[in-house]
Amino acid sequence: QTVVTQDPSFSVSPGGTATLTCGLTSASVSSTHYPSWYQQTPGQTPRLLIYNTISRSSGVPGRFAGSLLGDRAALTITGALADDECDYYCALYMNNSFWVFGGGTKLTVL
Amino acid sequence: DVQVVESGGGLVKPGRSLRLSCAVSGFTFSDYNMNWVRQAPGKGLEWVASISTSGSFIHYADSVKGRFTISRDNAKKSLDLQMNNLRVEDTAVYYCARGSYVYAIKPPDYWGQGTLVTVSS
């Protein structure tokens, strides 16, 4: 069974750059997985940030960028703000049929 | 504005059934695939089921296959999730989420606020 992997936690200094990654246990992530990223603050509904690897959802600031990094998908946050401290989930489209979420990365800004 | 509103959650004993519903507005429901996604308390997101625009193509997570049934009524702009033989591990907030437009591929974008399902004896 293929699992979508994310680092459980990541720390970044205010104003710094955070690169969160998303992988697969038994394959490389590619554009055919349509990598997507969500942001979820405590008690709130997930917000779609990035879809189709690099496309930003409406209203998402340009300091959030998606990419492929080697065999993984990546979400890069530049100029990190205190408000960016929350959970980030990646989602991959599997078997051309359904979405699978990663376990999430808790981003700390300090 | 797009609105997605779930209902039907509650406390249920293991082995029992529950039916969730989702009402939408602000977009042409019949043009979009739809999804159910859940989140156990303090845990991550888990995709549960998806259904195509016409209802012809349906997919389930292995964890619910054979127990849950997703369905839609395009005339009523509603999405349902029939959950049978519920287990303690099905306890979660269940989100109804809009999927991609017809044949496009896009992850769930608009989500409801969720409805809490608690399975406990």
Side-chain angles (χ1 to χ4, degrees), chain A residues 13-110:
Chain A
S13 300
T17 297
T19 299
L20 312 183
T21 63
C22 172
L24 286 168
T25 52
S26 58
S28 297
V29 176
S30 72
S31 59
T32 62
H33 293 106
Y34 299 86
S36 305
W37 293 90
Y38 291 85
Q39 178 190 58
Q40 187 180 33
T41 53
Q44 298 299 312
T45 295
R47 173 196 183 195
L48 180 63
L49 294 176
I50 301 289
Y51 61 96
N52 198 9
T53 308
I54 62 171
S55 298
R56 268 188 296 275
S57 290
S58 177
V60 174
R63 56 196 188 79
F64 290 90
S67 65
L68 289 176
L69 208 60
D71 61 352
R72 305 171 75 83
L75 172 69
T76 300
I77 307 170
T78 55
L81 304 174
D83 284 350
D84 297 333
E85 183 166 294
C86 60
D87 296 326
Y88 292 85
Y89 295 91
C90 72
L92 301 178
Y93 194 57
M94 304 298 292
N95 297 343
N96 208 28
S97 298
F98 54 86
W99 294 93
V100 178
F101 291 92
T105 296
K106 185 176 186 64
L107 180 69
T108 301
V109 181
L110 55 75

Side-chain angles (χ1 to χ4, degrees), chain B residues 40-103:
Chain B
K43 303 296 184 182
L45 301 171
E46 180 187 15
W47 169 82
V48 172
S50 64
I51 186 168
S52 62
T53 54
S54 64
S56 298
F57 298 97
I58 288 174
H59 300 281
Y60 297 100
D62 287 344
S63 57
V64 307
K65 201 171 291 183
R67 300 187 299 122
F68 289 13
T69 302
I70 188 173
S71 61
R72 65 188 296 161
D73 185 330
N74 285 342
K76 296 181 179 178
K77 299 183 187 178
S78 67
L79 178 75
D80 286 347
L81 185 68
Q82 176 66 41
M83 304 184 295
N84 296 332
N85 191 19
L86 282 160
R87 304 168 180 169
V88 171
E89 55 265 35
D90 293 320
T91 295
V93 173
Y94 285 73
Y95 295 102
C96 170
R98 190 180 79 168
S100 56
Y101 177 79
V102 196
Y103 297 115

